[in-house]
Amino acid sequence: MKIAFIGLGNMGGGMAANLVKAGHSVRAFDLSAEALDVAKANGCATFMAASEAVKGVDAVVSMLPNGAIVKSVYETDVIGHAPAGAALLDCSTIDVATAREVISAAESAGYDMVDAPVSGGIAAANGGTLTFMVGGSETAFKRAEPILQAMGKAVIHAGDAGNGQAAKICNNMLLAIHMIGTSEAFKMAEKLGLDPQTFYDISSVSSGQNWSMTSYCPVPGVGPQSPSDNDYQGGFASALMLKDLRLAMEAADSADAAVPMGARAASIYEDFNGAGNGQLDFSAIIKTF
Ligand code: NAD
């Protein structure tokens, strides 16, 4: 397939390279000349405008920073420039309302479009092992599925337009809550005189067991290898967790959903980021206890 790829940053760079490896002809655009150089080295054709990159393609994939940019790129450079009937796939993490608005505009212009945000970080983007949660019509999902499979290990249809974003922010809100809960439990155990490894050995086979403990333990030297063992470098940056929590709070507000734990998690990550820790992995939140 001929596929345009817009947004070749930390995530998009590796994803575009995996589409090339799967045999697709990839037409890349990014505002950054450096990102375009890397895309070229990875076998993409590069363009100086998104509206040029989308000419004659079967599909467009985007991986951009936020909803305002996604809306502007699709309204200005994709809709009306990509061939009528092309499949459009936005993999960025953005707010549910903007995702639904952009998909509705695309559908009115005759395109099939999905929101397809990802779980997994830069390593998963490079390795082609992302999980995609996809919102959109059955037809749009069926068209997007084989393209997403070339970049990931799991592609799940979450329902109508915007439901991919809804799944992503609900999941990440829950992740923030159990990472904070796990962190405070380890610290309290330590203050009560328990060795962290001993507490892990007990809790990891008891009812406190959860993913933040047994797959991504915030305590260095405990559990499998994770960013805590590397001074909280790499992994999923606290700044990105805060971005997702803000999106979750916005969505909860618009849906009139009660999220007392999510709201507390958002405020704890606000303070942590405000203190200059945005680049540390999100498990570094244990430093606040
Ligand atoms: P990034 O900042 O590294 O990349 C974004 C790219 O978009 C940059 O190269 C930038 O130049 C480009 N860009 C910005 N405006 C543009 C425009 N108008 N036209 C074309 N290109 C433009 O960000 P990232 O880490 O790759 O994240 C991308 C998306 O993936 C975000 O929505 C993020 O929330 C989501 N995400 C990131 C991670 C992660 O671990 N980094 C994990 C899951 C989801």
Side-chain angles (χ1 to χ4, degrees):
M1 266 191 257
K2 221 186 240 187
I3 301 175
F5 204 110
I6 307 171
L8 305 146
N10 288 322
M11 297 291 289
M15 292 164 71
N18 284 327
L19 288 178
V20 173
K21 280 186 205 151
H24 298 296
S25 154
V26 179
R27 298 163 62 89
F29 173 69
D30 192 291
L31 294 177
S32 148
E34 207 182 319
L36 284 179
D37 286 345
V38 174
K40 197 176 222 164
N42 285 332
C44 301
T46 56
F47 294 85
M48 298 313 286
S51 55
E52 286 297 313
V54 303
K55 275 193 183 150
V57 298
D58 303 297
V60 178
V61 180
S62 54
M63 194 55 165
L64 293 161
N66 61 49
I69 294 175
V70 167
K71 181 169 151 66
S72 141
V73 164
Y74 276 88
E75 286 183 356
T76 314
D77 290 311
V78 177
I79 295 172
H81 295 273
L88 312 181
L89 293 70
D90 178 42
C91 298
S92 328
T93 303
I94 68 169
D95 60 286
V96 177
T98 301
R100 289 184 174 148
E101 190 187 337
V102 174
I103 292 177
S104 165
E107 284 176 345
S108 303
Y111 300 95
D112 285 319
M113 181 167 184
V114 294
D115 55 298
V118 307
S119 173
I122 300 163
N126 290 335
T129 57
L130 293 165
T131 292
F132 291 92
M133 22 208 137
V134 188
S137 68
E138 197 61 48
T139 314
F141 175 73
K142 284 274 171 278
R143 294 187 66 192
E145 197 176 16
I147 299 169
L148 297 172
Q149 272 163 350
M151 302 184 284
K153 67 171 167 36
V155 180
I156 301 160
H157 194 189
D160 291 340
N163 280 19
Q165 300 294 350
K168 161 96 189 173
I169 55 171
C170 290
N171 180 72
N172 279 15
M173 182 177 80
L174 177 57
L175 170 61
I177 292 167
H178 62 64
M179 179 55 79
I180 291 170
T182 300
S183 296
E184 65 185 31
F186 266 103
K187 281 301 191 189
M188 180 172 159
E190 192 183 319
K191 292 213 163 170
L192 292 172
L194 266 157
D195 170 61
Q197 182 63 51
T198 306
F199 178 60
Y200 178 90
D201 292 343
I202 295 166
S203 197
S204 64
V205 293
S206 301
S207 47
Q209 186 277 335
N210 70 88
W211 187 90
S212 289
M213 177 180 285
T214 51
S215 293
Y216 212 93
C217 189
V219 182
V222 177
Q225 186 80 17
S226 74
S228 67
D229 300 313
N230 190 27
D231 209 12
Y232 304 98
Q233 303 301 312
F236 182 47
S238 297
L240 286 173
M241 175 54 91
L242 179 58
K243 172 192 168 180
D244 292 357
L245 286 168
R246 285 176 176 157
L247 291 174
M249 291 308 100
E250 213 178 296
D253 199 34
S254 72
D256 199 19
V259 288
M261 302 299 286
R264 191 74 187 98
S267 115
I268 290 171
Y269 275 100
E270 285 285 357
D271 291 347
F272 191 59
N273 275 261
N277 297 309
Q279 290 319 306
L280 292 181
D281 178 71
F282 80 110
S283 63
I285 201 72
I286 195 169
K287 289 170 181 274
T288 62
F289 298 106

